Amino acid sequence: MKLGIIGLARSGKTTIFNALTQRTGESTTPGGHAAPVLGAVSVADSRLDWLSQHYKPKKTTHAQVTYLDLQGLPGVLESHQEYMSLLLTHMRQVEAFLLVVRNFSDPSLGEPDVKHDFRELEDEFIIADLGTAEKRLEKISAEQKKGKKVFGSEKDLLESCLEILNAEKPLRVKPDLAAAPETRGFTFLSAKPILVVVNNTDDDDRLPEAAFEYAEAMVVRGKLEMEMAQLSEAEATAFRQDFGLADSALDRVVARSYALLQLATFFTVGDDEVRAWTIPRDLPAQEAAGVVHTDMQKGFIRAEVVAYEDLHRAGDFASARKLGLVRLEGKTYPVRDGDIINFRFNV
Ligand SMILES: Nc1nc2c(ncn2[C@@H]2O[C@H](COP(=O)(O)OP(=O)(O)O)[C@@H](O)[C@H]2O)c(=O)[nH]1
Ligand SMILES: [Mg+2]
């Protein structure tokens, strides 16, 4: 899963990125302005821990989340064309945005205004998408004038997109429009799921009320979390208790992102490797097999499935089987969160 961290200057993007990826520092391009920075983290999962203890494999592989610190939006927009096009390329590739808004007072920017800052970012998405949709529609009319045929319902879909964007709404309000085969390729920014990350001061853990339209929001205390991310495990646990934080920012952001993107985790187990895989919820078993290996998808026969809870309760695979908890499922079986799957396939 790839998430882009975006926000206005000095909103705390780098601070939060560092907290999530347990890094320090800032990077810049040779040109001097900030560059998109990439960091990957393993997703903690107590189920994977148990499976790993149980199977004692040579290798245990966690699901991975990649974060991109997409610096500088807007402001650099007009001044650095080259950088902006690089930024847009990165932005189009992420599955969702973490939208950081400043909720602490800054010596140069003054008191925070989360609603205003959020809206400014949303407008950037909408304006970028308006440009894309208008340009494509102009091209379509030019082609039609020359007598060319228009594919499927592309024009209708784009006109519906324009209507939403012109009403100053993000395409997120109607995800089907931008997910259609005719429009998917445009990778509209305002259609991507967003999670607003409100960056609070150390002593405040409340979410501002009703400030964000068409978006889910959560609080992270960026500075505090970054400091905690640099402590040892034991120190961090003690620190967290003092501040009433049960889980790290990383755990909370990952959990919310999985929910937002409707993702699920399934596991494969064996002597060589125990591994967690991230898929869209309810993905058909044959497609889930393809996530592991294309041969497994092509030669798919059956999926042998046991729910984590069932295996855990039974104690081991043989007992789970005796209890009738191991099922044989076909190609279309919708994979559930926590399934442990052994794919049977022919090559
Ligand atoms: N008080 C306070 N300051 C913060 C917090 N998060 C970031 N800052 C400060 O705000 C400034 C900008 O943060 P930075 O992460 O570099 O912002 P970016 O420009 O969005 O990457 C730095 O001086 C940070 O120390 C926070 O949660 N509380
Ligand atoms: Mg930064």
Side-chain angles (χ1 to χ4, degrees):
M1 176 167 55
K2 208 169 184 180
L3 300 172
I5 301 176
I6 204 134
L8 301 181
R10 300 185 64 80
S11 55
K13 296 179 294 299
T14 301
T15 305
I16 287 173
F17 174 81
N18 287 345
L20 297 177
T21 58
Q22 317 206 321
R23 286 177 186 224
T24 50
E26 178 105 35
S27 322
T28 51
T29 55
H33 36 268
V37 189
L38 202 112
V41 291
S42 295
V43 178
D45 191 327
S46 59
R47 298 171 299 183
L48 187 71
D49 297 341
W50 185 83
L51 290 169
S52 181
Q53 277 163 23
H54 186 76
Y55 284 93
K56 303 196 176 18
K58 292 194 191 102
K59 195 170 140 198
T60 300
T61 310
H62 290 76
Q64 294 267 316
V65 176
T66 304
Y67 295 98
L68 264 169
D69 183 355
L70 299 164
Q71 316 245 11
L73 181 97
V76 291
L77 258 114
E78 307 81 23
S79 45
H80 303 291
Q81 280 301 330
E82 210 173 297
Y83 174 68
M84 196 54 207
S85 77
L86 177 71
L87 180 59
L88 275 173
T89 306
H90 281 292
M91 284 170 72
R92 297 201 184 284
Q93 286 166 0
V94 301
E95 287 164 76
F97 291 116
L98 301 180
L99 224 126
V100 178
V101 293
R102 179 174 64 93
N103 194 21
F104 55 88
S105 86
D106 179 273
S108 55
L109 299 170
E111 290 307 304
D113 184 345
V114 293
K115 191 169 179 168
H116 169 271
D117 290 359
F118 167 73
R119 192 60 224 182
E120 197 164 319
L121 293 161
E122 187 82 291
D123 287 344
E124 291 291 335
F125 290 155
I126 291 172
I127 290 164
D129 289 351
L130 264 174
T132 307
E134 278 169 350
K135 217 163 91 191
R136 180 64 193 149
L137 277 168
E138 275 165 28
K139 196 156 173 221
I140 289 174
S141 346
E143 282 176 352
Q144 272 182 319
K145 272 187 204 135
K146 283 192 240 158
K148 268 199 188 167
K149 272 224 173 88
V150 176
F151 269 119
S153 43
E154 186 185 353
K155 196 175 174 206
D156 293 342
L157 285 166
L158 285 174
E159 275 163 358
S160 304
C161 288
L162 265 193
E163 212 171 295
I164 293 174
L165 296 166
N166 278 325
E168 295 173 13
K169 287 182 188 167
L171 293 174
R172 227 174 294 122
V173 300
K174 246 187 172 180
D176 292 350
L177 284 179
E182 296 90 339
T183 50
R184 211 183 292 155
F186 298 118
T187 56
F188 287 117
L189 300 178
S190 75
K192 290 185 192 283
I194 61 171
L195 176 59
V196 180
V197 175
V198 183
N199 189 11
N200 277 14
T201 47
D202 293 3
D203 52 8
D204 178 13
D205 64 356
R206 279 167 313 133
L207 197 63
E209 262 171 59
F212 316 108
E213 247 185 326
Y214 316 116
E216 287 188 37
M218 69 181 286
V219 167
V220 165
R221 288 177 270 178
K223 205 149 110 341
L224 187 71
E225 294 281 359
M226 186 173 88
E227 284 159 11
M228 270 194 273
Q230 285 152 16
L231 299 175
S232 71
E233 194 76 37
E235 284 172 321
T237 306
F239 207 76
R240 224 165 249 134
Q241 274 165 0
D242 289 346
F243 281 90
L245 284 165
D247 300 309
S248 70
L250 174 62
D251 294 340
R252 285 179 297 127
V253 170
V254 167
R256 285 297 291 269
S257 308
Y258 268 60
L260 180 72
L261 297 171
Q262 308 198 7
L263 298 174
T265 303
F266 76 87
F267 305 96
T268 51
V269 296
D271 296 335
D272 282 334
E273 190 181 27
V274 166
R275 180 159 180 173
W277 305 86
T278 305
I279 50 161
R281 217 179 276 163
D282 297 328
L283 191 71
Q286 190 172 16
E287 286 178 50
V291 175
V292 179
H293 202 290
T294 45
D295 284 348
M296 286 191 180
Q297 181 167 11
K298 281 192 208 130
F300 183 95
I301 302 169
R302 280 267 185 283
E304 205 176 15
V305 183
V306 57
Y308 173 79
E309 293 306 330
D310 288 341
L311 180 67
H312 188 250
R313 218 176 312 128
D316 58 52
F317 213 86
S319 314
R321 202 191 291 280
K322 262 187 223 140
L323 292 166
L325 299 169
V326 180
R327 295 163 277 133
L328 273 182
E329 301 283 2
K331 291 177 182 176
T332 58
Y333 166 74
V335 174
R336 307 221 170 88
D337 187 56
D339 279 349
I340 294 147
I341 307 184
N342 176 24
F343 293 105
R344 302 241 189 106
F345 64 107
N346 251 331
V347 272

